[in-house]
Amino acid sequence: TTACPCGATDARGKAAALADCCGRYLDAGQQAPDAQALMRSRYSAFVLGRLDYLRATWHPDTCPADVALVPGTRWLGLEVRDHRVLDDTHAEVEFVARYRVGGRAVRLHERSRFVNEQGRWLYVDGDLK
């Protein structure tokens, strides 16, 4: 089985399978149960080139008209540093995503904001650190 790109592990510390982890949201149509699960699945969507999922999980008020991936990007890993539930419909997730593009290593450190609308978590925006 294919390991999930988000780096989640199962109860035994083994890499979680994509189908049992983010694949449930990317391919099976399940809604992410919280902001952290949505953030992890969005990272996996970047790794797998799933622009459809990125657009579908981005709040329409902040989603750019042109969502594109940088060709040749090699995603290296994700570290979730914090997940804060602010209230029933708002949460924040701090993460560091590492990738390489054009031979250059990049470290993206962001505190992202999420909102739950009608039972669906959506990415709103984030502050880079």
Side-chain angles (χ1 to χ4, degrees):
T1 61
T2 302
C4 190
C6 82
T9 56
D10 64 18
R12 296 181 312 206
K14 293 183 66 175
L18 175 61
D20 298 330
C21 193
C22 294
R24 297 178 288 176
Y25 315 123
L26 293 166
D27 299 320
Q30 289 184 28
Q31 296 298 320
D34 57 36
Q36 181 177 188
L38 180 63
M39 196 282 314
R40 286 182 170 281
S41 67
R42 285 177 54 84
Y43 173 84
S44 292
F46 274 102
V47 172
L48 300 170
R50 295 287 305 273
L51 290 176
D52 59 328
Y53 185 79
L54 293 172
R55 290 189 71 70
T57 57
W58 209 317
H59 195 280
D61 290 348
T62 57
C63 184
D66 183 23
V67 177
L69 299 173
V70 177
T73 300
R74 184 170 159 245
W75 293 92
L76 304 172
L78 173 69
E79 175 191 354
V80 175
R81 294 206 169 163
D82 188 30
H83 173 217
R84 290 193 316 176
V85 176
L86 304 176
D87 59 34
D88 289 346
T89 59
H90 297 86
E92 294 180 345
V93 177
E94 181 181 354
F95 69 91
V96 175
R98 295 176 303 105
Y99 62 96
R100 185 174 296 280
V101 63
R104 191 171 139 254
V106 180
R107 184 176 173 267
L108 173 67
H109 185 178
E110 181 177 301
R111 177 167 290 279
S112 300
R113 286 178 283 280
F114 296 85
V115 63
N116 187 312
E117 292 186 351
Q118 300 174 355
R120 287 185 61 222
W121 283 100
L122 299 167
Y123 170 77
V124 177
D125 60 14
D127 296 320
L128 295 175
K129 299 217 172 240

